Amino acid sequence: MSLPMNRDAGPFDPPRGISRLRETRPVSPLVFPDGHEGWVVTGYDEVRQVLADVRFSSRQDIGPIHVPWEAPGMPVSNEPSPQVPGLFISMDPPDHSRLRRKLIGAFTVRRMKALEERVAEIVEQQLDSLANLTPPVDLVREFATPVPSLVICELLGVPYADRETFQANSTQFLVKDQELETKIAAYTAMTTYLGELVTGKRAEPGEDILSDLARDEELSVEELVGIAFLLLFAGHETTANMVALGTFALLEHPDQLAELRAAPELLPDAVEELLRHLSVVDLFFRYAVEDIEIAGETITEGSTVVVSLLAANRDPRRFDDADELDVHRKARGQMAFGHGVHQCLGQQLARIEMRAGFEGLLRRFPSLRMAVPVDEVRLRTDMTIYGVHELPVTWDR
Ligand code: HEM
């Protein structure tokens, strides 16, 4: 079978076909659009097992990969993609560990805690400018995107004024059916821009993460560019979509929204639950470098394996009433940030941004509501990171 993609069960829920697969065969054979055979893994335990096992490689330079969508920067092709220097999300240990280690210090829980106040300030500024607009407005454009974008730019030392360039280009990588040429053009524009930026930082380092990395002579300029690309990209597209889709989900669950407004101390649990329930980074792949048995199925060497984090996070064998949004749930063990050696490096930052973002939005806009009927909201089924293209909202002034 091919992979069901349409959100036929509702904007927040996995496609029905995916949920059915999880119930009947959590490790299922899959045929890609080009006819190549692979596997899709949908059960919680099974996905966890795949992600914990480095024999399921993240490399894109071995293959063929045969995926109908691809990781940032990677052309769609039946041929292996070249290894991109610095892009450690697509590497295995020890190459992956060498680069990831260089960043651990910058993203510790303690470092992120120290950032909390600054993130709150950025949120407040964005809420001020939102309040000055005449509703209806698109919350994606006016709030959900600028907050994480401003934060990651400041952390990395990327001028926010240049955002038009990198936001437009990074969007091109997320379009599932994008033309190869368009992707290459966007990729070249990004690497040229970031190449100049990191070369400048190497010559004259400042007080930011990219400058700290640029001081490290062990890293080549190409590696610095790859790392900068990954952080900039992962740092704003993901959180932005969680904030927008999370707001949409809360507006569709007004009782829970009212509870959160009255008791903001519930927000950390609510954020964890929204991450679980929505899992905006859903489908990504691994590549079996040997025969591996999972749930009684033998995945043969050379197979492409797609995991669905959304399906895993909705597995009733792991979470009670798994398809219900319940902000009181302790969603411990949710896998929206992945699992294993590639587990999200920016997860503490993302949590801080989401808590501050939802808290501020609920506090400052008590009458916030959708400005269009639910079925008019354009869902990002065409993009590799899920969410909404726009979220038209309004409020009483
Ligand atoms: C709600 C927001 C976010 C979600 C849902 C999310 C999700 C994920 C997931 C699922 C992975 C694992 C991919 C894999 O195993 O192949 C990942 C990796 C990664 N994320 Fe995030 N992410 C978020 C925010 C961020 C932020 C704010 C940053 C900023 C720095 C970031 C940086 C990264 C990096 C660098 C990796 C690669 C880690 C590695 O390969 O070792 N993410 N993220």
Side-chain angles (χ1 to χ4, degrees), residues 121-162:
E121 258 172 44
I122 288 175
V123 165
E124 223 55 46
Q125 276 164 18
Q126 276 317 117
L127 290 168
D128 288 342
S129 44
L130 190 59
N132 282 331
L133 299 175
T134 307
V137 304
D138 171 17
L139 198 77
V140 173
R141 199 188 137 88
E142 305 298 345
F143 183 68
T145 303
V147 168
S149 212
L150 278 158
V151 172
I152 198 70
C153 281
E154 198 165 302
L155 269 181
L156 296 181
V158 173
Y160 186 64
D162 297 343

Side-chain angles (χ1 to χ4, degrees), residues 89 96 100 107 234-235 238-239 242 284 286 336-338 341-342 344 346:
I89 196 166
H96 166 263
R100 179 158 170 144
F107 286 93
T238 46
T239 315
M242 262 309 298
F284 54 90
R286 294 292 192 259
F337 291 120
V341 295
H342 290 281
C344 182

Side-chain angles (χ1 to χ4, degrees), residues 336-358:
F337 291 120
H339 179 65
V341 295
H342 290 281
Q343 199 187 49
C344 182
L345 180 70
Q347 58 182 287
Q348 297 309 339
L349 176 61
R351 286 189 173 101
I352 289 170
E353 291 175 336
M354 285 184 280
R355 286 172 196 166
F358 290 127

Side-chain angles (χ1 to χ4, degrees), residues 45-292:
D45 289 340
E46 293 80 2
V47 167
R48 210 170 169 89
Q49 226 175 309
V50 169
L51 295 181
D53 190 336
V54 289
R55 291 175 303 165
F56 289 109
S57 170
S58 291
R59 283 172 59 180
Q60 314 199 2
D61 58 329
I62 50 178
I65 299 294
H66 296 283
V67 279
W69 58 87
E70 78 277 29
M74 293 298 129
V76 180
S77 146
N78 289 346
E79 298 302 320
S81 310
Q83 183 75 273
V84 177
L87 205 72
F88 58 92
I89 196 166
S90 311
M91 292 178 188
D92 295 337
D95 299 336
H96 166 263
S97 344
R98 177 179 81 89
L99 294 176
R100 179 158 170 144
R101 237 191 335 260
K102 306 234 178 242
L103 281 161
I104 298 287
F107 286 93
T108 56
V109 175
R110 199 168 50 87
R111 279 279 187 91
M112 291 301 119
K113 203 79 203 127
L115 258 183
E116 244 168 308
E117 250 176 60
R118 181 65 193 127
V119 171
E121 258 172 44
I122 288 175
V123 165
E124 223 55 46
Q125 276 164 18
Q126 276 317 117
L127 290 168
D128 288 342
S129 44
L130 190 59
N132 282 331
L133 299 175
T134 307
V137 304
D138 171 17
L139 198 77
V140 173
R141 199 188 137 88
E142 305 298 345
F143 183 68
T145 303
V147 168
S149 212
L150 278 158
V151 172
I152 198 70
C153 281
E154 198 165 302
L155 269 181
L156 296 181
V158 173
Y160 186 64
D162 297 343
R163 68 188 175 283
E164 299 292 340
T165 317
F166 62 76
Q167 281 176 1
N169 284 315
S170 68
T171 301
Q172 303 299 332
F173 299 112
L174 291 172
V175 178
K176 280 180 186 158
D177 294 325
Q178 187 61 276
E179 295 284 331
L180 188 58
E181 271 173 28
T182 312
K183 272 199 166 144
I184 291 174
Y187 186 64
T188 310
M190 283 289 273
T191 47
T192 308
Y193 169 72
L194 291 171
E196 282 167 16
L197 190 74
V198 297
T199 308
K201 288 187 189 290
R202 179 150 271 178
E204 223 176 300
E207 294 291 311
D208 53 68
I209 292 179
L210 290 185
S211 293
D212 290 345
L213 292 170
R215 282 192 189 92
D216 183 342
E217 294 291 339
E218 264 182 40
L219 294 169
S220 67
V221 168
E222 289 72 29
E223 285 177 322
L224 290 171
V225 167
I227 297 174
F229 175 75
L230 175 59
L231 292 176
L232 190 57
F233 181 85
H236 77 272
E237 289 286 355
T238 46
T239 315
N241 280 295
M242 262 309 298
V243 170
L245 192 66
T247 305
F248 184 18
L250 288 174
L251 289 173
E252 289 304 297
H253 293 80
D255 296 351
Q256 300 193 46
L257 179 75
E259 271 191 86
L260 289 181
R261 193 171 267 134
E265 65 277 10
L266 294 176
L267 267 166
D269 280 346
V271 162
E272 226 48 32
E273 170 64 352
L274 286 166
L275 282 161
R276 181 196 72 84
H277 193 72
L278 303 172
S279 302
V280 295
V281 178
D282 178 18
L283 303 168
F284 54 90
F285 68 89
R286 294 292 192 259
Y287 175 75
V289 293
E290 52 184 82
D291 289 0
I292 306 164

